[in-house]
Amino acid sequence: MSNPFLENRLNVNRRYFLGKAAVGLGSIALGSLLIKDLFEPDGTVKIEQLAHFAPKAKRIIYLFQNGAPSQLESFDYKPMLHKMYGQDLPESVRSGQRLTGMTSNQTKFPLVGSYFKFNQHGNTGAWISELFPHIAGIADDICIIRSMHTEAINHDPALTFMQTGAQQGNRPSMGAWLSYGLGSENQNLPGFCVLLSKGKGNGQGVYSKLWTNGFLDSMHQGVQFSNSEERVLYLNDQDSISKADRRNMLDHLNALNHMNYEDIQDPEIKTKIEQYELAYRMQTAVPEITDLSKEPDSIIKLYGPDCLVPGTYASNCLLARKLSESGVRFVQLYHQGWDQHVNLAGEMPGQAKDVDRASAALITDLKQRGLLDETLVIWGGEFGRTNYCQGTLSESVYGRDHHPRAYSIWMAGGGIKPGVYGETDDFGYNIIKDPVHVNDFHATVLHLMGLDHEKLIYKHLGRRYRLTDVAGQVVKGIIA
Amino acid sequence: MSKIQGILSYINFGLLVLMSVLMLFHSQVEIPNWLVFAGRLHPLFVHLPIGIYTTVVVLYLLKDKFEGVAINNILYLVVSISTTSALLSIIAGLFLSHESGYTAEDLAWHKNTAFAFGLTQYLLYSIFDRTNNFVKSIIIISSAILLVVSGHLGANITHGTHYLWPDANSKKANLDVQKNSLFEIAVQPIFNEKCTSCHNAKKSKGGLILTDSIGIKKGGEHGPILLAGNLVESKIIKSMLLPMNDKQHMPPDGKPQLSQDEKNTIKQWILSGASFVKKYNEYKDTDSFKILATPWISNKKIEKTYNFKKVAPEVLASLASPYLSVKPLAINSPALEANFFVSAAFDRENLSKLTTIKEQLVSLNLSNMPLDDKCIDVIVQLTSLEKLVLNGCKLNDAQFQKLSKLPKLESISVANNTLSKDIEKNFSNLKALKHLYLNNTNVDFTTIKKFESKYKNIHFYSLAPISALTELTPPILENENTVIKKGQGVILSQFINGAAIKYTLDGTDPDSVNGIIYKAPVQLKNSAKLKAIALKEGWLKSPVASYSLFEEGHEVQECKLLTKANVQYMGLGDKTFINQEKAPVTNLKDPNWIAFREEPFKAIFSINAGKAIHKIAFCYGVQIPAYVFPPTAVRIYGSKTITDFKLLKEVKTKAIMQDSKDQIYTDHIDIELAGDLYKYYKIEAQNLPKIPAWHPGKGERGWLFIDEIFFYE
């Protein structure tokens, strides 16, 4: 018998090399046949395959508090800051955290506690400040997350990060992702609606890039409702045009657009056709939804009579309930004016008064209709505020700068376990338990809606994108 | 022999590459249906590498006992086959891992260790003939360790974590939440573990048998051991809580004791009625026993499963309408939910079509749809319904009564309807009912509260009426501008249905006594300060809304400025004063403002002949922080020709004090004239020449902002 070892070595010749290379390449080819979108062009993911869990929530209402409300005057109670009033923030706590241009030339970082009193509320004994008496009243329905943290330190990137999962504004917003992933429930309304309101405080801008569809099909873009009496601009026909005329016009326009599509094959033309049809159906659906005059007195009193004044936060909350009740997948509110750099104790009560009653009313209203189980409500800003004072300091006049390392938000409804999650240190500066990164937050929200954040993917410019990009873990601790 | 080795080397290399591709691109791989079969073979294949690799290890350890080189050839062949079988079973496993039903963490480690085993196997195979024994030994040992770990993790996935070392909790796994009562799931296991060794059919100490519900109900020789809802009268609780050294303490000293959780579970079970038959779903979510028992049930089993057939996609497509969506409850669930949208487009036909899927339809939402009796008759046919949302459907008692025939209803939302408390007799018949939302109906809060305490199994969410009086919002001005067109009148409105508006024109605050009730548009004479409030019974009156209003002035033919306005605020030039438009004080950049600083304001206005002017209203804005002050004096001159002006009137204003309450506002000066017929009027207004000392801009010139000058007959 010959020596197989020797033979084996002698086998390594050109024929052997080429043979092996062929087998290797063949195997790679075989394996790649199983990679579903390898040879498909951008943006052709099959949506039916995305939902991976039984959804806990069907719809989302996101009450975005634009400008970053202070966690230290709302949901994160830190008595230590009173004890150490006026003392410098120890360097060991700050440990190199970068500062904004607004406080970077301050020589001292004097600690300051909340001017407003805190009390414990609900079965979980959650600490909530006196600025939010109505939210305190629904403490048993909400889960306060005190351990949110983000990477951005200025409003625009932080807002964009919260909304799109990236600090640069070219990615689709959360609402667009959900509209893409789950489609619209009600074909007579946009799947993603945006409502704006503004408090008296220092207003940070909101831009339409926050509700953009990014690289997704433009039918997933958020539709901004106006604060004028005509809530969706240019929706109504001119007086001289009848419904039949409009239909006739659209039919012909569609025919032209179809011809154009046959020529150019630009998918945006198809979107345009669909958008015209949606707008046509919205002509019937929107007046029904935006007519708040039929709401009973008890509901008006619940939200506060401001809810009938167009453009107020309360009115947007009531409208959000009506939109959500009518199957709008994602209703995004922005309430501006939370950026209290200088006169926090003076301005925050007004801001809180704007939103407290209506936010709580929304939860109560959904609950009394049996809809809270299937609606996820989120309340919160883009980052927190510093535990030290910006500007002049006294116990009643102080300001707080931006703080990305810890902030508080709350969620309620579909799939949320009420309670308090996460913890910050005695200074309220660093998270010591259960941190929730913005990516984790997104992963959790998608999870509650029945989507696996690792599988909700869109291929664009040869790269696969996710709302959570390459990170994010579902926060199991807040899920019921 | 070498030919076999040659073929094997190709096969193994190919499999290695395939395995690596599948592993590296795991998240992007999708398994077609015809390959699912290959994945399912994984549990069969895995036993091959385990057996063959064990042979490798044994032969390797014993190789010195054999004579000649044959052993090396045999060993090499066995390693080759072992590698092939390992790679094959790993590839099959990678196929299988795409199926659902595995927890991600368990699977991840099994997958990773198996992949590592595959790599070490191939490494061993490829260098088997060209390395020394030391390296070979290390690879063989690490490969063996990886095989053991990976195999164990795999077994955990297949057989469950507690397969090797069964623990006490494992008993719960065999019980089904749908079939077994919560007692059997959460309480009986405690007895089985801690009590039945002495209290069973063969050895019944004290005449007590705790192995089944019959024995527990019967009790021991001293009578029953428990009384539903009463802890004090339940002997079992007493003996459980007695101190350890008491003779009657159970379980007796020396035997395994009950944990605090177990004690609480038994206590809450008795408090909640000591039911032996009630199932998990029949308890209210707030029931303490249910809450304590929940950890005994793995999450998967709480989720309802439906056994009915899936509806064919064509049938679903035939139901499609923009005003009706029919969808599965979750992906791959056969159960369906239907939602109706846009009440103006509601069509009963769409509802009737749902009867074709009545077996699968478990959830129906008809919120705000105009339902009539015929619609209700259709809904009653949908007998699988578990959740029904009929908020705001103008539902009456008779209709509700019909709905109560739906046997499986678990949740009904009927908020905003005209139901009365008589529906009690109807909903109390619904055996499966767990949620009933009745707010904003004629059933009042106290009645709902009563229902709540009477029907423990039904969850009502009662919305307490808001007792505190709420303040109305102030009336609003409907006119587009504060300059009211002739004959139009001032139009007021308010937001709350049924609230009245009261107003005054004399500067006093309107209240319940003072003021005029608004019925029709208010006609203005020249200018006026209108104050208005909204009133409604059961509400607090609104804050006062106040508006400075101007009737449209007499048309001015021409205006000619004699002095120069500040270059930054030129407004619309000469027209600014006479275009019948006011400007908002919050925006000084508005083109209806024109401002003077370096020079005072001087201009000539020419009026249509033959009209006598009795009043001129000079309108200006004030923003004290922005150095914008009222004029110190306004002078009116009149003339019939363009020269020869005669001073008609001069009005001086009071100086602004430091403690002035208003800092930003608009105001006007009314200048009454005798009514002589003049063609030309010259108006001069002096801006503040020196800002007072209390102001940050002391000594500088103040700004004068003018938006309009009205001429009235």
Side-chain angles (χ1 to χ4, degrees), chain A residues 71-72 75-81 93 144-149 384-385 387 403-409 420-436:
Chain A
Q71 75 281 20
L72 300 168
F75 302 106
D76 204 4
Y77 177 46
K78 293 296 159 199
M80 173 74 113
L81 296 178
V93 175
I144 298 172
I145 304 171
R146 296 182 302 194
S147 52
M148 283 293 298
H149 63 113
R385 305 207 80 91
N387 56 358
H403 183 59
R405 275 204 204 171
Y407 62 108
S408 302
I409 65 169
V420 178
Y421 187 82
E423 207 177 320
T424 53
D425 61 13
D426 284 342
F427 294 92
Y429 199 89
N430 292 305
I431 296 165
I432 53 171
K433 198 177 146 202
D434 298 331
V436 180

Side-chain angles (χ1 to χ4, degrees), chain A residues 7 27 58 288 298 305 374, chain B residues 2 14 337 343 387 440 471:
Chain A
E7 268 180 45
S27 296
K58 291 181 188 163
E288 214 170 85
S298 57
E374 48 191 58
Chain B
S2 61
E337 61 169 327
S343 66
K387 182 170 183 180
N440 287 312
E471 193 176 66

Side-chain angles (χ1 to χ4, degrees), chain A residues 15 45 99 103 106 117 164 197 294 398 409 448 456 460:
Chain A
R15 175 177 297 179
V45 180
L99 303 166
T103 44
Q106 259 179 229
K117 289 186 185 64
T164 70
S197 60
K294 294 203 179 73
Y398 57 88
I409 65 169
L448 290 168
L456 183 64
H460 172 63

Side-chain angles (χ1 to χ4, degrees), chain A residues 4 7-9 20 27-28 34 36 51 58 185-186 188 288 293 297-298 305 308 364 368-369 374, chain B residues 2 14 17 28 30 73 76 129 322-323 331 337 341 343-344 387 391 413 439-440 463 471 495 497 536:
Chain A
E7 268 180 45
N8 199 358
R9 264 177 221 139
K20 267 221 160 156
S27 296
I28 290 174
L34 298 172
K36 60 185 170 186
K58 291 181 188 163
E185 256 191 291
N186 181 349
N188 308 284
E288 214 170 85
S293 67
D297 266 14
S298 57
L308 295 176
T364 311
Q368 64 106 357
R369 275 160 205 274
E374 48 191 58
Chain B
S2 61
V17 174
Q28 283 130 42
E30 199 170 278
N73 292 347
Y76 187 44
D129 58 345
Y323 308 111
I331 298 288
E337 61 169 327
F341 306 110
S343 66
K387 182 170 183 180
N391 296 329
S413 306
N439 293 292
N440 287 312
L463 181 61
E471 193 176 66
F495 291 107
N497 271 338
K536 187 183 179 182

